[in-house]
């Protein structure tokens, strides 16, 4: 899609370039190799593991929240903050889950605590794990 020398996707590339700003195009191009989809089944499994560890309500920060499958499967009583660097994906997430706070920024650049105190859980599903209230829960 983003390889200007590849004619196979020239029409689709032209359509997207017409829809997106230069900043949005650059962001999508930059993240295409590192954006990963997390299935709803996997997200449900993480929530089940958190519940078994004693976490059922509270504040959850999700770095790299994507389109929001963790947000969409969150149990009642969970306040979600998603951080997503890719602006189109962040917009989709905010439209799908208006009850959540979605930040369009790099997690590395997030310099404000989204909650009054520390988050009770931080989801990180890519090579890192999931942390709950100071103890590690493998997921």
């Amino acid at each position: 899609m983003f390889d200007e020398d590849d004619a196979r996707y020239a029409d689709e590339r032209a359509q997207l370039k017409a829809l997106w700003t230069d900043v949005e195009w650059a962001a999508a191009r930059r993240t295409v190799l590192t954006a990963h989809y997390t299935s709803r089944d996997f997200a449900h499994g993480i929530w089940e593991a958190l519940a078994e560890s004693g976490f059922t309500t509270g504040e959850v920060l999700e770095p790299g929240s994507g389109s929001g499958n963790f947000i969409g499967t969150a149990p009642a009583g969970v306040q979600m903050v998603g951080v997503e660097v890719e602006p189109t994906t962040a917009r989709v997430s905010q439209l799908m889950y208006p009850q959540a706070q979605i930040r369009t920024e790099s997690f590395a650049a997030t310099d404000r605590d989204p909650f009054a105190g520390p988050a009770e859980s931080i989801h990180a599903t890519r090579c890192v794990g999931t942390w709950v209230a100071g103890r590690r829960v493998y997921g």
Side-chain angles (χ1 to χ4, degrees), residues 13-57:
R13 186 169 37 250
Q15 289 175 5
L16 284 176
K17 281 188 165 186
L19 293 171
W20 285 343
T21 66
D22 290 342
V23 171
E24 291 168 329
W25 178 261
R29 183 178 187 156
R30 183 177 54 253
T31 61
V32 72
L33 294 178
T34 58
H36 304 283
Y37 174 78
T38 302
S39 73
R40 293 182 73 79
D41 289 340
F42 186 82
H44 278 295
I46 295 294
W47 285 117
E48 288 172 8
L50 288 168
E52 289 173 9
S53 297
F55 179 83
T56 56
T57 63

Side-chain angles (χ1 to χ4, degrees), residues 81-105:
V81 174
V83 179
E84 175 55 47
V85 68
E86 203 283 305
T88 301
T89 304
R91 268 198 317 270
V92 167
S93 183
Q94 188 65 79
L95 289 170
M96 290 177 64
Y97 308 109
Q99 76 281 7
Q101 180 187 147
I102 307 298
R103 295 180 174 200
T104 307
E105 59 194 21

